[in-house]
Amino acid sequence: VGARAALTRRLRRLGAVERGLLCDLYNARFAGDAQLRRLRALAGGDSAERLCADGLARRDEGPAGGVWWLTRTGARAAQTLLAREDPLAARPYAVLLLPHELLRGTLYLALRERGMQAVAYRAAARLGFRSDAAPGERTRVPDACVDGSEGTPRLLEVDRASESGQQLRRQWLRSRDWAAGRAAAWRPPA
């Protein structure tokens, strides 16, 4: 209860701009300095330093300039704001995957700049499904999942030519099975 109360107090101190940037950084996972400037413009202000001062975000110099990300407390705060419990998103970030994560952040930023709401986006969403191809529950974890029209999710992948043809085929087959299982269970909204 003590940690939750402290997190609530931190969230109350944040203004709307900081809350918006917190959610955007959570979804982007990593942001370079140029990406952060664009996220600040979307949030409507300059608040990244405030997030760092409150222990919710960090900035370090990377090979291509500054890199921003949320601390674990910042990630928990964003999950609270987005009403999300996503165990994969709360895991420690893998710095070895930084180029891929920055590319995923670029995708998120492009979607936000085209009007997507932060709550419609989930990074590394864990999607369970059943398939005729294999018994039992299976999992698909795309780079991103975006809620589309009529509640239909869209799976997005970004790759940097680092995956083999076999890995891409496995991803495609799993996405196809997920979509087929989803289509069988989908009912139009009433």
Side-chain angles (χ1 to χ4, degrees):
V1 176
R4 188 173 295 179
L7 184 62
T8 301
R9 282 193 300 277
R10 278 185 173 170
L11 286 173
R12 284 185 182 150
R13 284 195 308 254
L14 298 179
V17 171
E18 287 93 2
R19 288 176 182 218
L21 187 58
L22 187 73
C23 292
D24 284 335
L25 267 174
Y26 174 81
N27 285 329
R29 296 181 63 116
F30 286 97
D33 283 334
Q35 292 170 321
L36 188 73
R37 281 191 295 276
R38 291 165 59 195
L39 286 173
R40 284 174 171 164
L42 284 170
D46 187 22
S47 56
E49 287 76 15
R50 170 78 188 271
L51 294 178
C52 287
D54 282 347
L56 300 173
R58 288 197 56 197
R59 180 192 184 273
D60 280 324
E61 281 298 317
V67 178
W68 298 77
W69 70 93
L70 294 181
T71 63
R72 286 182 188 220
T73 302
R76 281 194 300 275
Q79 286 176 332
T80 300
L81 290 173
L82 292 167
R84 217 174 264 161
E85 285 297 326
D86 189 351
L88 280 181
R91 71 181 179 200
Y93 298 133
V95 175
L96 294 175
L97 300 175
L98 184 59
H100 180 266
E101 294 293 341
L102 288 171
L103 182 60
R104 182 171 31 200
T106 300
L107 168 70
Y108 173 75
L109 183 55
L111 293 168
R112 284 284 285 133
E113 288 177 333
R114 285 167 179 78
M116 180 195 74
Q117 297 296 313
V119 294
Y121 182 93
R122 289 174 287 157
R126 187 176 190 82
L127 307 170
F129 66 98
R130 295 200 178 274
S131 168
D132 293 337
E137 180 90 7
R138 300 181 72 203
T139 305
R140 175 72 176 99
V141 183
D143 286 328
C145 181
V146 177
D147 294 333
S149 61
E150 298 178 10
T152 306
R154 307 279 190 245
L155 306 185
L156 303 173
E157 290 287 342
V158 294
D159 289 307
R160 303 181 64 248
S162 60
E163 294 190 346
S164 69
Q166 184 179 17
Q167 287 172 311
L168 292 173
R169 179 172 163 65
R170 188 174 26 245
Q171 278 185 1
W172 182 81
L173 290 171
R174 200 163 268 206
S175 293
R176 185 191 66 184
D177 290 347
W178 174 83
R182 180 137 179 95
W186 186 79
R187 301 284 180 263

